[in-house]
């Protein structure tokens, strides 16, 4: 027993001596830290990485605080972190959040958010979305609501991208005029009660190449120069036939550079045909390479022929066509049956063929025959998303061209009206083949979990003073 005790004492003493004589330095060169961090997705980030070492903490924070997606109801926690750590606030370049908080809203919450926003000096990408937790009538709204544009006032950052749900009114348009470098703007809100007036010298949205807007925004540019986007999502919601016609005609003045167009439409009882909407601006959009149409109505056989005819005559550079009728809930008549139950092939069909892949394939083949440049036909009609894909044309000298390979498969990626953000306007087929989005990642809420994110001091202070939310 004594011998065992002596051995333990010796081993402990030897270990302490070795530890004292050994210089604990990183075996990994510091310049390799950040390349390694590039392989970790922000959604997989674990804040315990900050505890590896002081130098590793600096690199971890520099990498992962560039892109912050605040989960639902954690906005005030994030604000407290940024206010307590202005050094972290300077690192944030992309930010996404909703206005919901973890408790009942209080009068000073919006001011807290505004204080936090003023610390984000290097912010370039901002996304403010509507919360999934809706407030009931009579309840105090969330700290960031439709009319809280004031959280952006006097902020030092210069945004390149903004997605927001603020009401389209004078306060928002005036603030946008202070951001001439803005390249992408997505508006998911509603129009205000009073019309917005833009002067001829107003630069609002004039530099944007990516836009998500509604007809009431384009109406503000009457009798003056309009934006010329390359990628456009145009939301036509709950308008009558005359309003839809005016909305379609307004696209004539913004289609000069247009390559990717996504039309989203939810109709009322009276509505304009889809082919009439396309024909209203088709001759002014000769460079279109990707067209997506999401609607809550179905198409008759005759309407499908008319859509094909417009595409054949005007969209001679079209490569991708997303065909998505019945993509929203359809209003039902009093007898319980839908008012748009017509067939959708270019030929007449029986009721049994209503959801036949063969029938859809006939329409896809007709599109390919009509438009030689078309490479992909995507069907997203009330169900699974399938794609008909044709290979590139082969150049053959001194002889007839070889037939182009053609196949049908199920689309391996999720498809929605927001897919327009990720499409390469010059090579739109690449996204659907490789599933690799075009351009840098965009700020989208509820990606990073920061429930245990620390409110700590700058790295120069002791780690013991770190406090947790």
């Amino acid at each position: 027993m004594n011998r065992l005790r002596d051995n333990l004492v010796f081993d402990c003493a030897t270990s302490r001596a070795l530890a004292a004589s050994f210089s604990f330095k990183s075996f990994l060169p510091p310049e390799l830290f950040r390349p390694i961090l590039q392989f970790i997705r922000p959604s997989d980030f674990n804040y315990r990485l900050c505890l590896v070492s002081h130098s590793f903490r600096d690199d971890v924070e520099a990498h992962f605080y560039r892109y912050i997606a605040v989960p639902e109801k954690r906005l005030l926690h994030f604000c407290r972190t940024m206010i307590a750590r202005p050094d972290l606030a300077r690192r944030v370049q992309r930010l996404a959040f909703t206005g919901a908080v973890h408790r009942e809203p209080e009068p000073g919450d919006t001011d807290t958010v505004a204080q936090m926003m003023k610390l984000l000096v290097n912010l370039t990408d901002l996304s403010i979305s509507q919360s999934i937790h809706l407030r009931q009538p009579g309840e105090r709204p969330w700290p960031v609501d439709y009319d809280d544009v004031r959280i952006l006032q006097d902020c030092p950052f210069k945004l390149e991208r903004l997605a927001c749900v603020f009401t389209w009114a004078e306060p928002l348009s005036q603030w946008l005029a202070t951001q001439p470098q803005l390249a992408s703007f997505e508006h998911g809100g509603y129009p205000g009660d009073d019309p917005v007036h833009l002067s001829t010298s107003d630069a609002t949205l004039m530099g944007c190449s990516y836009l998500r807007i509604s007809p009431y925004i384009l109406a503000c540019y009457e009798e003056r120069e309009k934006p010329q986007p390359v990628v456009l999502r145009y939301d036509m919601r709950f308008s009558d036939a005359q309003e839809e016609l005016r909305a379609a005609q307004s696209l004539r003045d913004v289609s000069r550079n247009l390559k990717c167009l996504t039309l989203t439409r939810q109709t009322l009882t009276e509505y304009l045909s889809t082919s009439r909407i396309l024909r209203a601006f088709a001759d002014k959009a000769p460079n279109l390479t990707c067209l997506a149409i999401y609607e809550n109505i179905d198409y008759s056989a005759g309407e499908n022929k008319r859509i094909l005819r417009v595409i054949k005559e005007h969209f001679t550079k079209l490569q991708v066509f997303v065909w998505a009728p019945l993509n929203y809930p359809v209003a039902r008549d009093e007898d319980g049956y839908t008012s748009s139950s017509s067939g959708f092939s270019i030929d007449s069909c029986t009721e049994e063929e209503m959801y036949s892949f063969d029938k859809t394939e006939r329409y896809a083949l007709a599109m390919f025959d009509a438009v030689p440049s078309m490479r992909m036909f995507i069907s997203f009609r009330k169900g699974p998303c399938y794609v008909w894909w044709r290979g590139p044309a082969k150049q053959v000298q001194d002889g007839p061209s070889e037939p182009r390979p053609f196949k049908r498969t199920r689309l391996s990626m999720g498809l929605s009206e927001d897919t327009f953000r990720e499409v390469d306007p010059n090579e739109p087929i690449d996204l659907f083949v490789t599933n690799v989005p075009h351009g840098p990642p965009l700020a989208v809420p509820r990606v990073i979990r920061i429930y245990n994110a620390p409110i700590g001091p700058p790295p120069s202070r002791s780690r013991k003073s770190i406090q947790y939310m």
Side-chain angles (χ1 to χ4, degrees):
M1 189 70 178
N2 292 334
R3 181 178 299 177
L4 178 60
R5 182 185 60 190
D6 294 340
N7 290 338
L8 289 174
V9 172
F10 173 79
D11 291 340
C12 293
T14 304
S15 299
R16 285 196 297 269
L18 289 174
S21 61
F22 186 79
S23 177
F24 286 98
K25 295 183 179 179
S26 174
F27 293 96
L28 188 66
E31 60 270 14
L32 294 182
F33 287 167
R34 291 186 182 180
I36 291 175
L37 294 174
Q38 300 293 331
F39 290 95
I40 305 177
R41 293 185 177 183
S43 57
D44 298 328
F45 174 57
N46 191 320
Y47 280 85
R48 286 178 293 182
L49 288 172
C50 295
L51 306 180
V52 173
S53 67
H54 288 291
S55 57
F56 200 76
R57 176 183 177 181
D58 293 343
D59 288 310
V60 167
E61 291 180 343
H63 178 70
F64 289 107
Y65 274 92
R66 288 185 303 173
Y67 178 13
I68 296 294
V70 183
E72 283 279 7
K73 295 193 173 184
R74 307 300 291 184
L75 178 58
L76 290 182
H77 293 287
F78 175 73
C79 291
R80 286 194 297 170
T81 301
M82 295 296 100
I83 294 171
R85 291 287 304 276
D87 59 303
L88 292 183
R90 289 190 292 271
R91 299 187 186 278
V92 178
Q93 298 178 18
R94 300 197 300 271
L95 174 64
F97 62 85
T98 67
V101 295
H102 63 286
R103 53 164 171 74
E104 283 298 309
E106 297 178 358
D109 290 344
T110 305
D111 294 331
T112 300
V113 178
Q115 180 185 358
M116 178 273 296
M117 296 294 292
K118 291 180 174 61
L119 300 174
L120 307 179
V121 295
N122 295 313
L123 187 67
T124 60
D125 183 347
L126 176 61
S127 175
I128 303 176
S129 304
Q130 183 180 7
S131 172
I132 60 175
H133 303 281
L134 302 179
R135 303 294 286 170
Q136 299 300 320
E139 294 182 326
R140 183 186 293 274
W142 293 125
V144 181
D145 201 38
Y146 293 108
D147 297 324
D148 292 317
V149 185
R150 64 187 180 92
I151 67 171
L152 303 178
Q153 302 295 338
D154 301 323
C155 290
F157 49 73
K158 296 296 182 181
L159 294 182
E160 297 175 2
R161 174 182 178 264
L162 172 64
C164 69
V165 293
F166 295 131
T167 300
W168 179 257
E170 290 291 345
L172 178 58
S173 66
Q174 292 175 1
W175 185 85
L176 289 171
T178 67
Q179 305 287 313
Q181 74 293 328
L182 196 67
S184 176
F185 175 69
E186 300 178 33
H187 186 253
Y190 299 93
D193 296 331
D194 299 322
V196 176
H197 302 284
L198 300 177
S199 64
T200 55
S201 59
D202 198 327
T204 301
L205 306 182
M206 294 304 297
C208 289
S209 56
Y210 281 69
L211 283 177
R212 175 194 170 182
I213 55 176
S214 299
Y216 55 79
I217 294 182
L218 276 187
C220 302
Y221 290 86
E222 291 184 0
E223 301 181 358
R224 57 153 292 171
E225 186 180 0
K226 297 177 176 60
Q228 297 297 328
V230 177
V231 179
L232 173 65
R233 171 179 165 179
Y234 199 52
D235 296 332
M236 302 171 62
R237 303 287 174 84
F238 308 114
S239 303
D240 59 32
Q242 290 297 324
E243 292 172 337
E244 288 185 335
L245 179 60
R246 289 193 295 269
Q249 291 173 339
S250 65
L251 287 175
R252 296 178 60 84
D253 298 326
V254 297
S255 299
R256 183 174 64 237
N257 301 327
L258 193 60
K259 292 187 176 182
C260 293
L261 173 62
T262 297
L263 290 175
T264 66
R265 188 165 71 135
Q266 290 178 271
T267 62
L268 298 173
T269 54
E270 296 183 1
Y271 55 87
L272 204 63
S273 67
T274 303
S275 59
R276 182 67 183 88
I277 289 176
L278 294 177
R279 192 171 292 280
F281 68 91
D283 61 319
K284 297 296 183 179
N287 300 313
L288 207 62
T289 61
C290 181
L291 174 63
I293 305 177
Y294 297 85
E295 300 195 81
N296 66 333
I297 59 174
D298 206 355
Y299 304 142
S300 66
E303 176 63 2
N304 271 301
K305 289 181 180 180
R306 289 187 287 271
I307 293 174
L308 185 148
R309 191 177 301 118
V310 174
I311 293 176
K312 177 182 178 180
E313 292 175 358
H314 299 285
F315 302 146
T316 57
K317 297 181 180 179
L318 194 67
Q319 299 179 34
V320 176
F321 179 42
V322 179
W323 182 76
L326 290 181
N327 204 257
Y328 300 106
V330 181
R332 293 182 177 271
D333 297 330
E334 293 180 357
D335 58 2
Y337 293 95
T338 60
S339 57
S340 55
S341 58
S342 57
F344 63 88
S345 73
I346 59 173
D347 301 314
S348 61
C349 61
T350 63
E351 188 71 20
E352 288 74 16
E353 289 183 294
M354 184 63 68
Y355 297 99
S356 169
F357 286 127
D358 293 337
K359 190 169 105 177
T360 306
E361 187 165 290
R362 290 200 298 270
Y363 191 47
L365 288 172
M367 277 287 180
F368 285 130
D369 291 340
V371 187
S373 63
M374 185 171 292
R375 300 274 309 278
M376 187 171 285
F377 178 94
I378 301 175
S379 171
F380 195 24
R381 179 188 181 274
K382 196 180 181 181
C385 189
Y386 279 84
V387 56
W388 282 260
W389 179 18
R390 179 168 63 176
K394 295 182 178 180
Q395 300 294 333
V396 179
Q397 296 181 353
D398 301 329
S401 60
E402 298 181 8
R404 299 166 69 176
F406 177 85
K407 63 180 180 180
R408 183 188 74 195
T409 184
R410 189 163 181 166
L411 194 65
S412 59
M413 59 171 286
L415 190 67
S416 72
E417 306 95 319
D418 291 329
T419 305
F420 79 98
R421 302 171 177 169
E422 303 173 341
V423 173
D424 183 350
N426 297 314
E427 298 292 340
I429 194 174
D430 287 353
L431 171 67
F432 306 103
V433 173
T434 65
N435 291 353
V436 178
H438 173 67
L442 302 176
V444 180
R446 300 183 299 278
V447 174
I448 300 177
R449 296 181 177 89
I450 60 170
Y451 295 103
N452 297 317
I455 301 179
S460 59
R461 299 183 186 178
S462 170
R463 203 182 75 187
K464 294 181 180 180
S465 62
I466 295 180
Q467 300 178 8
Y468 293 86
M469 294 188 292

